[in-house]
Amino acid sequence: MPCTGGAGNVGFFVGPEAVIVVDSQFKDIASGIVEQIKKVTDKPIKYLLNTHHHGDHVGGNDVFKQFAVIVAHDNVRKRMLASPADIQRDYPARIEDARKAGNDEVVKRLSEQLEWARKVRIEEISAPILTFDSEFRIHLGGETVHVWHTPPAHTDGDSVVYFEKAKVAHMGDLYFNKRIPVIDIRGGGSVRGYLEAHDKVLARLPADVTLIPGHGEVSDLAGLKAARQYLADILEAAGKAKTAGKSREDFVKEIDLPAYKGFDGYPDRFKSNCGAAYDEAR
Ligand SMILES: [Zn+2]
């Protein structure tokens, strides 16, 4: 059952004895999510799975850790615990850039995070306490929940959570439905890896699966195939440009794929996706 909202989509599954929740949104929203789940069931929330380390998917961990075991890929824990140091290293320059560009909203958001990074103690970070490297399963009544790590894609800690009997997969940010994806290169993401991740997931999921994307509406396999095609198209265009001897700068300036102009985030993220595709193109 998905709960969609401004940040990452949350999914939850009610088993005969316990509830599994996938992603925790932001901290200020998490207690509302718990309340919504309690309206549906009185079973305890025992597990929280984080699909990756971004704040809009793990921000509510503080709320869930009081009653649930938080589980994620090894790199989710590593990146969450490293985040105060990473933010203090990277954000002053990013804040300065945003200030020069007159982007007050970004300045405010990054400054708040920098302030948090300067004062937080590592042991206060609600990182997953149970981590895995490849895949594992949770058995709840008649349901088997498969959690698969994929090649580096949106980040280097991405997981798909597949409920076998229900035929529902929560894709985390491996899937932006009708949106240009965020490819977090700093967070270990990769355009080529994203495509590979989609191919691996497509090979494992049944044709009639229901997909909960990290962002956007719930969909079917056709939607994921369209997201895969976008990645294939930018990698192909980047490969051609590189072979033709075009510079990265010229490629990014000139690239235009009208088929994707209707996707959310086209003005913000399309060009940066293409730059990353150029860096990885062969
Ligand atoms: Zn994300």
Side-chain angles (χ1 to χ4, degrees):
M1 195 174 295
C3 313
T4 58
N9 290 336
V10 169
F12 68 96
F13 172 80
V14 181
E17 282 148 29
V19 179
I20 293 183
V21 179
V22 185
D23 284 345
S24 63
Q25 274 245 14
F26 289 118
K27 192 176 179 178
D28 54 347
I29 301 171
S31 34
I33 292 167
V34 172
E35 270 170 38
Q36 279 192 46
I37 295 170
K38 289 202 185 298
K39 277 184 197 158
V40 176
T41 177
D42 56 3
K43 303 279 189 299
I45 299 171
K46 282 198 180 166
Y47 306 97
L48 171 69
L49 306 174
N50 290 147
T51 59
H52 63 294
H53 72 279
H54 286 159
D56 57 332
H57 297 258
V58 305
N61 283 13
D62 282 349
V63 171
F64 283 89
K65 78 169 178 193
Q66 298 163 38
F67 43 79
V69 176
I70 305 180
V71 192
H73 184 260
D74 295 327
N75 291 341
V76 175
R77 179 176 168 84
K78 274 186 208 153
R79 289 203 177 271
M80 284 181 74
L81 296 182
S83 67
D86 291 347
I87 288 171
Q88 289 184 75
R89 184 192 60 220
D90 298 338
Y91 278 29
R94 287 176 65 185
I95 291 167
E96 200 43 45
D97 288 347
R99 198 168 275 142
K100 277 183 197 151
N103 201 336
D104 296 344
E105 210 172 293
V106 174
V107 170
K108 183 170 176 280
R109 182 166 54 81
L110 298 182
S111 302
E112 281 168 8
Q113 288 177 32
L114 180 59
E115 198 186 319
W116 167 83
R118 281 176 176 150
K119 64 181 187 204
V120 73
R121 286 181 299 137
I122 296 298
E123 57 273 24
E124 289 170 359
I125 296 175
S126 304
I129 60 156
L130 203 59
T131 63
F132 70 99
D133 60 358
S134 169
E135 62 179 79
F136 74 99
R137 282 150 287 282
I138 298 179
H139 303 273
L140 269 191
E143 184 57 282
T144 305
V145 186
H146 301 258
V147 187
W148 306 322
H149 174 54
T150 66
H154 173 68
T155 68
D156 61 5
D158 302 318
S159 292
V160 174
V161 182
Y162 175 52
F163 299 87
E164 184 182 331
K165 197 172 171 195
K167 291 192 180 174
V168 173
H170 192 306
M171 298 285 300
D173 285 357
L174 281 163
Y175 180 24
F176 284 71
N177 187 10
K178 296 196 177 72
R179 295 174 186 215
I180 301 293
V182 173
I183 305 173
D184 181 2
I185 303 296
R186 279 196 193 106
S190 153
V191 189
R192 191 168 285 286
Y194 222 131
L195 183 62
E196 209 185 309
H198 278 185
D199 285 338
K200 290 208 159 154
V201 173
L202 285 164
R204 290 184 83 162
L205 292 173
D208 54 349
V209 69
T210 298
L211 298 175
I212 303 173
H215 299 268
E217 299 294 317
V218 170
S219 91
D220 56 12
L221 225 44
L224 182 61
K225 285 179 182 164
R228 181 209 175 274
Q229 192 58 45
Y230 164 77
L231 297 163
D233 286 351
I234 61 170
L235 277 165
E236 191 192 337
K240 278 187 187 155
K242 218 168 184 173
T243 307
K246 193 174 274 191
S247 72
R248 185 189 200 273
E249 198 182 5
D250 286 347
F251 169 64
V252 171
K253 203 192 301 172
E254 291 164 21
I255 179 79
D256 184 30
L257 293 176
Y260 301 106
K261 275 196 171 142
F263 278 31
D264 263 18
Y266 188 91
D268 311 321
R269 296 194 290 272
F270 175 66
K271 297 278 183 181
S272 68
N273 281 186
C274 289
Y278 183 94
D279 294 337
E280 292 182 37
R282 293 183 196 127

